[in-house]
Amino acid sequence: MDTTTTTHTEQTQELVQPSPPPAFTELSEVASIGSNGSILFATDDWFAPAEWMLKDTEPVFLADRYTAYGKWMDGWETRRKRTPGHDWCLVELGAPTQIAGVMIDTAFFTGNYVPRVSIQGGTLDATMKRMLQTSIPRVTDEVGNIGTGRTTEELGMVELIGTDQWDVLVPRTELQAGYEPTRRHYFTVAKGKQSLIVNHLRVNMFPDGGIARLRVYGTVRLNLRESLSVRRPFDMIAMLNGGRCTGFSNAHYGHPRNLIKPSTAANMGDGWETARRLDRPPVLQIDDAGILQVPGCEWAIFQLGGAPEGGWIERICIDTKHFKGNFPDNVQVEYAWKGEPNSWKLLMEKKKLGPDRVHEFEGDEQLLPQAKPASLVRITIAPDGGLSRVRVFGTVAVAK
């Protein structure tokens, strides 16, 4: 198959490598495996399968590790192309998203990184997706599709879907080698394309090579009021339901956006963990309820998803999985309503926490009555420590 006719006009794309990263990286990340991202198709997986590009962990380099197909690399690497065309893959995002920016990491791909990429966005309908998964299934075990490539017939069939006609989010752009100063490439999607809601991406390599990691940032857009009964509780804080972290006091060891991922935390690094507060008293005291008496605390604020009018919260789950010697002493939850982001009201008084377990709080005995539907929640831990996941179940408020 000759795909040279489907390439995009060369354009100058601003390449930004700031410190700290651009603001769009504070939005929801929707392509990684921990965010339910997956690979539907790849033209070639010879040295390393495309799924490895979506790993949650930082890439590593193992100098002495080889496979039956060549050097083991921690990312997606295709063979040196000797036929017409270029390599590409289809990524399914964790949820429909308005994409603000993309990060491509070429870490450790120094003589084998892909020299140019472009990214297109669109949505496969359920029939096309099912046909693709049935006709060319992906292997999802640890080894995956390593050592394989698609046949001419398979490539021809997939081209008929027309993903090469999807909207261009990142025009064809040159990358740099995977050395530390040049490995991370940040691209802001043009303003005119940020309003598009897409479920899938086509990642184009020109012509072949390796990518260590792909990260896609944006705002999840779901119309839960059409798909859920207004009386059926759902996880309003979940990233895949449109929840997102909008602010925090400290994220020394792990970002609070990890708390609303759909997957179970893999380790402490996959949760929210703060530094130890330096204002802790030299000798700690507790009150009659067993709560530590400390002057300081840490907090994270989340926009709830699901409906513009907010919701009525019925149950809160706080998970300290993996945090055995560094869990917070206690947690408190507040809420604010639409149009008044600083109107914080107490929803749950301070509750004692324990190590490596799920804590559930519900009912009138543990949650205070809400005056108005909640659009924001603030999770406050004291004095410091880590949580792995937070779930906030409630029902959609109906606009009057």
Side-chain angles (χ1 to χ4, degrees):
M1 177 188 65
D2 187 345
T3 60
T4 55
T5 60
T6 69
T7 60
H8 312 303
T9 304
E10 295 281 358
Q11 298 186 34
T12 301
Q13 177 83 351
E14 184 180 358
L15 179 62
V16 186
Q17 291 178 319
S19 181
F24 67 70
T25 60
E26 293 298 318
L27 298 175
S28 298
E29 196 291 307
V30 292
S32 60
I33 291 172
S35 296
N36 279 9
S38 63
I39 300 295
L40 296 180
F41 172 83
T43 56
D44 192 278
D45 299 275
W46 187 263
F47 290 111
E51 282 81 1
W52 293 0
M53 175 176 66
L54 308 183
K55 287 181 180 180
D56 295 293
T57 55
E58 278 286 296
V60 298
F61 183 74
L62 304 177
D64 299 325
R65 186 170 180 179
Y66 288 81
T67 73
Y69 307 100
K71 179 70 185 74
W72 183 91
M73 294 297 292
D74 195 7
W76 175 34
E77 186 182 3
T78 69
R79 74 188 90 192
R80 301 188 188 214
K81 203 163 185 63
R82 300 294 184 257
T83 57
H86 65 91
D87 287 317
W88 55 277
C89 74
L90 293 179
V91 179
E92 181 166 63
L93 304 178
T97 304
Q98 290 176 312
I99 298 174
V102 175
M103 193 279 287
I104 294 178
D105 189 349
T106 57
F108 306 114
F109 288 92
T110 54
N112 51 349
Y113 67 97
V114 57
R116 304 167 203 86
V117 298
S118 76
I119 298 178
Q120 297 167 267
T123 296
L124 291 176
D125 63 36
T127 301
M128 285 294 185
K129 176 183 170 182
R130 187 162 51 249
M131 180 273 291
L132 191 58
Q133 292 176 314
T134 302
S135 303
I136 312 173
R138 300 289 294 176
V139 178
T140 56
D141 60 17
E142 184 177 351
V143 176
N145 287 75
I146 192 169
T148 67
R150 307 288 71 78
T151 66
T152 301
E153 291 75 17
E154 289 172 331
L155 293 171
M157 180 189 72
V158 177
E159 280 295 340
L160 293 175
I161 298 175
T163 57
D164 58 306
Q165 301 301 311
W166 284 354
D167 288 283
V168 178
L169 304 181
V170 178
R172 191 195 302 179
T173 308
E174 290 190 0
L175 299 185
Q176 299 183 57
Y179 300 107
E180 189 58 36
T182 58
R183 55 179 274 204
R184 294 184 180 89
H185 307 73
Y186 295 96
F187 303 105
T188 300
V189 173
K191 290 292 185 183
K193 299 294 179 72
Q194 289 190 19
S195 61
L196 297 172
I197 300 175
V198 302
N199 286 58
H200 301 93
L201 298 181
R202 173 169 165 147
V203 179
N204 298 296
M205 288 183 169
F206 297 106
D208 54 45
I211 296 172
R213 294 291 185 271
L214 171 71
R215 296 291 183 258
V216 179
Y217 300 92
T219 302
V220 172
R221 293 299 185 195
L222 295 177
N223 191 344
L224 289 175
R225 295 189 68 174
E226 290 184 359
S227 59
L228 293 175
S229 164
V230 294
R231 291 182 297 274
R232 175 185 169 192
F234 68 100
D235 185 3
M236 304 182 69
I237 203 174
M239 183 269 287
L240 296 186
N241 287 336
R244 66 186 183 95
C245 179
T246 61
F248 56 89
S249 60
N250 187 289
H252 192 84
Y253 294 112
H255 199 291
R257 65 168 167 252
N258 292 334
L259 296 178
I260 60 175
K261 286 182 176 180
S263 55
T264 301
N267 49 46
M268 289 192 302
D270 193 25
W272 171 39
E273 184 181 2
T274 72
R276 298 192 192 210
R277 291 191 62 89
L278 300 181
D279 58 1
R280 289 166 293 146
V283 179
L284 299 175
Q285 303 289 332
I286 61 173
D287 65 12
D288 292 341
I291 302 292
L292 277 182
Q293 300 301 286
V294 291
C297 61
E298 305 292 356
W299 53 266
I301 296 174
F302 297 87
Q303 174 76 49
L304 299 180
E309 303 302 321
W312 303 103
I313 297 170
E314 300 179 0
R315 179 163 60 99
I316 298 172
C317 300
I318 306 290
D319 192 353
T320 58
K321 185 178 178 65
H322 304 300
F323 292 95
K324 301 176 182 178
N326 49 353
F327 58 95
D329 175 72
N330 61 80
V331 63
Q332 173 183 286
V333 181
E334 300 161 282
Y335 73 99
W337 48 84
K338 180 181 177 182
E340 299 185 42
N342 296 315
S343 59
W344 295 109
K345 298 296 181 182
L346 193 61
L347 178 64
M348 186 178 80
E349 297 176 331
K350 291 181 180 180
K351 303 293 185 182
K352 193 79 172 175
L353 296 179
D356 193 35
R357 72 187 69 160
V358 176
H359 308 73
E360 296 202 11
F361 308 100
E362 62 182 321
D364 295 341
E365 292 185 0
Q366 296 179 306
L367 301 183
L368 300 175
Q370 280 180 240
K372 295 183 180 181
S375 292
L376 297 166
V377 295
R378 180 164 62 189
I379 310 295
T380 301
I381 58 174
D384 48 43
L387 305 176
S388 64
R389 293 292 184 267
V390 171
R391 305 291 184 233
V392 176
F393 293 92
T395 56
V396 171
V398 179
K400 296 181 179 180

